[in-house]
């Protein structure tokens, strides 16, 4: 209401001032990614403008692992900033362990170096096991890869491949001198090791067994022993 210099008074029409609550945008989206992929972030409510803390603008933001906020403006010109939103990252990296070297047809116990939610062991495109370990007959039916596929608590997938060549079995053998159909009692016989190792290996130990009556079984641990036999008959000789 106003009064002029002539004493005349007048009142305006009502003018309404509306109080608007402060705006607090809420970020939604993937809170975890796999192997540093990007997550897509947005807000639960639409606004007129957006400014994300990674210097991008718009209602959607692609976010690498890290922590983010967004400042928005609504149709009334009100401005608000969200609480921080963290995008985590997961990189499951299994490693097959449990072997060093093994011989052909050995049974080996394979396991993974970490703990995961699920496991799948694959060989020749067949699933062998979904346990956290695998009992595997190495080297059969051929020397193909063993694969483990794991997922972690966030659903991220990791893979490791084992290509561990087995060691071929050594071939035992020997020769002896004198190499005749019969020898005299107590004649020294020289046995020579002719065993061949697997490719790339060497023979490390020798275990000879002489079934030598009447003294009984005689065992020797050198490459090329000399043995005599005090009685007649056939004698069994084994090298391991």
């Amino acid at each position: 209401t106003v009064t002029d210099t002539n004493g005349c008074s007048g009142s305006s029409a009502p003018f309404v001032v509306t109080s608007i609550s402060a705006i607090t945008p809420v970020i939604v989206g993937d809170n975890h990614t796999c192997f540093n992929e990007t997550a897509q972030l947005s807000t639960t409510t639409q606004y007129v403008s957006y400014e994300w803390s990674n210097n991008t603008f718009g209602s959607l933001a692609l976010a690498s692992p890290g922590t983010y906020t967004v400042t928005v403006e609504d149709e009334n010109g009100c401005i608000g900033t969200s609480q921080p939103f963290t995008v985590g990252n997961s990189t499951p990296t299994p490693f097959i362990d449990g072997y060093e070297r093994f011989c052909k047809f050995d049974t080996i116990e394979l396991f993974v170096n970490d703990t995961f939610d699920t496991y799948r062991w694959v060989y020749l495109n067949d699933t062998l096991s979904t346990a956290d370990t695998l009992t595997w007959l190495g080297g059969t039916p051929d020397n193909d890869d063993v694969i483990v596929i794991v997922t972690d608590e966030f659903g991220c997938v990791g893979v490791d491949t084992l290509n561990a060549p087995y060691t071929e079995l050594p071939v035992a053998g020997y020769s002896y001198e004198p190499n005749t159909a019969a020898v005299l009692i107590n004649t020294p016989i020289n046995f020579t090791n002719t065993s061949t190792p697997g490719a790339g290996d060497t023979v490390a130990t020798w275990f000879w067994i002489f079934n030598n009556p009447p003294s009984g079984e005689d065992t020797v641990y050198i490459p090329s022993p000399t043995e005599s036999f005090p009685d007649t008959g056939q004698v069994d000789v084994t090298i391991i």
Side-chain angles (χ1 to χ4, degrees):
T1 299
V2 297
T3 302
D4 65 13
T5 55
N6 297 312
C8 297
S9 298
S11 297
S12 67
F15 182 85
V16 178
V17 177
T18 303
S19 175
I20 300 174
S21 299
I23 60 173
T24 304
V26 177
I27 297 176
V28 292
D30 296 328
N31 62 3
H32 219 89
T33 65
C34 303
F35 295 97
N36 294 308
E37 295 175 346
T38 55
Q40 182 171 281
L41 305 182
S42 61
T43 57
T44 55
T45 303
Q46 291 294 310
Y47 298 97
V48 173
S49 67
Y50 303 79
E51 183 178 353
W52 297 85
S53 57
N54 62 351
N55 295 318
T56 61
F57 303 86
S59 60
L60 299 177
L62 295 179
S64 300
T67 300
Y68 299 86
T69 60
V70 62
T71 298
V72 300
E73 182 179 350
D74 66 10
E75 65 276 8
N76 298 306
C78 296
I79 296 173
T81 300
S82 70
Q83 292 294 315
F85 184 92
T86 298
V87 177
N89 181 56
S90 185
T91 56
T93 308
F95 176 76
I96 299 175
D97 207 343
Y99 73 96
E100 291 182 0
R101 297 182 64 187
F102 57 92
C103 298
K104 188 175 183 179
F105 306 123
D106 277 356
T107 298
I108 55 177
E109 190 82 6
L110 302 179
F111 59 91
V112 179
N113 64 323
D114 208 342
T115 301
F116 300 96
D117 270 22
T118 67
Y119 304 80
R120 185 162 71 94
W121 298 87
V122 178
Y123 183 65
L124 295 176
N125 296 319
D126 291 328
T127 297
L128 302 181
S129 174
T130 56
D132 57 352
T133 61
L134 174 67
T135 301
W136 185 56
L137 183 61
T140 57
D142 55 37
N143 190 32
D144 212 332
D145 296 338
V146 175
I147 300 170
V148 66
I149 304 168
V150 302
T151 58
D152 65 11
E153 60 184 307
F154 304 104
C156 299
V157 177
V159 178
D160 189 33
T161 299
L162 170 65
N163 187 336
Y166 55 77
T167 298
E168 289 284 356
L169 299 178
V171 178
Y174 65 89
S175 63
Y176 57 92
E177 183 69 32
N179 186 359
T180 58
V183 295
L184 295 175
I185 292 174
N186 291 322
T187 298
I189 300 176
N190 298 316
F191 291 87
T192 302
N193 166 59
T194 61
S195 302
T196 56
D201 282 335
T202 57
V203 176
T205 62
W206 303 263
F207 179 39
W208 295 82
I209 304 174
F210 297 96
N211 187 9
N212 192 357
S215 61
E217 184 176 279
D218 186 18
T219 57
V220 181
Y221 300 92
I222 61 176
S224 299
T226 297
E227 191 81 2
S228 60
F229 302 95
D231 205 349
T232 60
Q234 181 174 313
V235 176
D236 294 328
V237 178
T238 304
I239 181 174
I240 301 175

